[in-house]
Amino acid sequence: MNNLSEMEAEVTMQEHPVHKSLPQIPVVTSVTCCFVLAVLYVGSLYIWSTKHNRDHPTTIKRRFASVSMVMMVAPFFVYFFSSPELLSREPFPKLLGFRLEGLWQAVLIPYGLTVLLFIGPIFVNMQNESIRSYFDLDYWKGSFNSIIWVRNHVMAPLSEEFVFRACMMPLILQSFSPLVAVFITPLFFGVAHLHHIAERLSLGVELSTALLIGLFQFIYTTLFGFYSAFLFARTGHVVAPILVHAFCNHMGLPDLQDLWQQDLWRRVVAIALYIAGFAGWIFLLPLATVPSIYQNTLYWNVYCKDRIG
C-alpha cells in the first residue's frame, strides 16, 4: 500500500514538477553590477580620441573594438557575482541565453511577432516598391560592404543585447521578480543612449533640440528595452532579442509623412494595418512567448515563488 502511494506521488511530481526558486543575491550587488556594465559599455565608445563623427569608418571600427572588449568582460560579472548555488545547478551558457533547446522557436516566433507589429509600415514600404530591393543581390552586397549598415544591423544589436540582456538579466533576476526585472534593465538601456545628446551638441545642434530628441530616444529605447527583456526572460534565448533588435533598427520609426502621402484607399488600408498589427501584437505577445514553447525551465524556476505571468 505504501509502495502504491509512493508511486502515485512520484507520478504526480513528474506531471507537476516542483520548481525551485532562484537563489537571491543582494539588490545592491545586482544593481551595481548592471550600472557598472552600462558605464563600461557607454564609456568604451568614448575612450578614443578622434576628430571624426560617429559615422566615420575610423570611429566605427574603433568602437567595434572597444565594445567587443566589454562583451568579453561582461560575462565575468555574471559568473563572479551570481549565487554559487545557481551556478552549480544551471549551466553557465544557459544563464546567458545560449542553449539548443527551443532554439528554432526563439528564432522564428518572436521575429514573426515583431513583423506583425510593423505590418503597417511594411505595407507602406511595399507601395513605394522598396520591398523589391530585398530580392536584389546587389542590395545585400552593398549593405554588408557598408560599415554603417553592419553597425546598425549586426554589431549594435549583438553587443547591446548581449551586455544589457544576456549579462544584466541573470543578475537582476536573482534580486527581483521577473516582472520587476523586465522593467528595471531597460532603464539602464535607455539611459545608455542619452550620450547621443552630447554627440548632437558637438555637431552644432541647439541644446533644446538635442534635449528633445534625446528625451524621445530615451523613451523609445526604454520601451523597446521592455520588449527585449520580456523576450529574453520568457524565451530564455538571447538570439530572440538580438534578431528583433536588428529588425527594429532596420525598420526605424514609422514614417507618418510617407503614410499621409499615399492615395486615399492605400492610406485607409495602411492605417487599418497599423491598428491591426498593434492589436494583434498585444494579443499574441503573451501567447507566443509561453516559456514551455521554448523549453525554458529556468523561467519557471524564476516564477515559482510569485507565479506571475
Side-chain angles (χ1 to χ4, degrees):
M1 190 71 177
N2 290 336
N3 291 338
L4 179 61
S5 300
E6 291 177 0
M7 290 177 62
E8 290 177 348
E10 184 177 351
V11 170
T12 302
M13 290 183 66
Q14 290 176 353
E15 294 178 348
H16 305 284
V18 178
H19 301 285
K20 298 180 180 179
S21 297
L22 271 179
Q24 299 291 301
I25 61 174
V27 171
V28 65
T29 299
S30 60
V31 172
T32 300
C33 286
C34 291
F35 176 78
V36 172
L37 283 172
V39 171
L40 286 175
Y41 189 92
V42 177
S44 71
L45 304 177
Y46 293 95
I47 61 172
W48 308 100
S49 177
T50 177
K51 60 182 179 180
H52 305 298
N53 62 33
R54 65 186 299 267
D55 290 333
H56 193 278
T58 300
T59 303
I60 295 175
K61 291 176 182 178
R62 288 177 174 178
R63 289 183 170 185
F64 279 7
S66 56
V67 297
S68 296
M69 294 299 296
V70 176
M71 290 176 66
M72 294 175 62
V73 172
F76 288 98
F77 281 78
V78 182
Y79 186 81
F80 286 110
F81 292 100
S82 289
S83 164
E85 180 185 348
L86 174 63
L87 293 175
S88 64
R89 192 202 318 167
E90 301 289 350
F92 185 66
K94 182 179 179 180
L95 297 180
L96 302 181
F98 295 99
R99 57 192 182 89
L100 294 178
E101 301 85 2
L103 178 59
W104 72 264
Q105 295 95 319
V107 169
L108 297 178
I109 298 177
Y111 195 85
L113 189 65
T114 310
V115 170
L116 174 63
L117 177 63
F118 281 87
I119 195 66
I122 291 173
F123 173 79
V124 174
N125 289 343
M126 290 176 64
Q127 307 313 304
N128 298 333
E129 299 185 352
S130 60
I131 199 75
R132 294 183 181 180
S133 61
Y134 301 145
F135 300 96
D136 185 354
L137 184 60
D138 291 334
Y139 167 81
W140 292 106
K141 288 181 179 179
S143 296
F144 281 100
N145 287 330
S146 169
I147 195 168
I148 294 179
W149 189 94
V150 173
R151 177 195 65 190
N152 295 340
H153 294 81
V154 180
M155 197 62 185
L158 178 63
S159 62
E160 291 179 3
E161 295 306 320
F162 182 76
V163 174
F164 288 89
R165 242 63 70 184
C167 294
M168 287 190 184
M169 284 290 286
L171 292 167
I172 291 294
L173 284 169
Q174 294 179 68
S175 299
F176 299 92
S177 70
L179 185 61
V180 175
V182 165
F183 283 91
I184 289 179
T185 54
L187 297 177
F188 293 102
F189 185 65
V191 171
H193 284 77
L194 292 179
H195 68 94
H196 291 301
I197 295 177
E199 292 183 339
R200 292 188 181 94
L201 291 175
S202 66
L203 295 174
V205 178
E206 292 184 1
L207 177 61
S208 58
T209 303
L211 290 175
L212 182 61
I213 297 174
L215 176 61
F216 179 79
Q217 188 170 25
F218 169 76
I219 295 173
Y220 176 75
T221 53
T222 302
L223 288 175
F224 172 78
F226 293 149
Y227 180 39
S228 183
F230 184 82
L231 289 178
F232 180 83
R234 300 271 287 188
T235 68
H237 282 279
V238 71
V239 68
I242 289 175
L243 292 177
V244 167
H245 191 151
F247 178 78
C248 290
N249 278 4
H250 176 72
M251 293 300 299
L253 290 174
D255 189 344
L256 298 181
Q257 182 178 0
D258 197 10
L259 170 64
W260 288 107
Q261 289 177 348
Q262 301 296 318
D263 295 339
L264 178 60
W265 76 269
R266 288 190 177 92
R267 193 187 315 158
V268 172
V269 173
I271 293 174
L273 289 174
Y274 266 81
I275 297 172
F278 182 71
W281 177 77
I282 290 291
F283 176 75
L284 292 175
L285 180 59
L287 301 177
T289 57
V290 174
S292 58
I293 296 176
Y294 309 92
Q295 302 179 45
N296 184 13
T297 56
L298 185 58
Y299 174 89
W300 293 114
N301 290 340
V302 173
Y303 270 82
C304 82
K305 183 177 181 180
D306 298 318
R307 292 294 179 185
I308 301 174

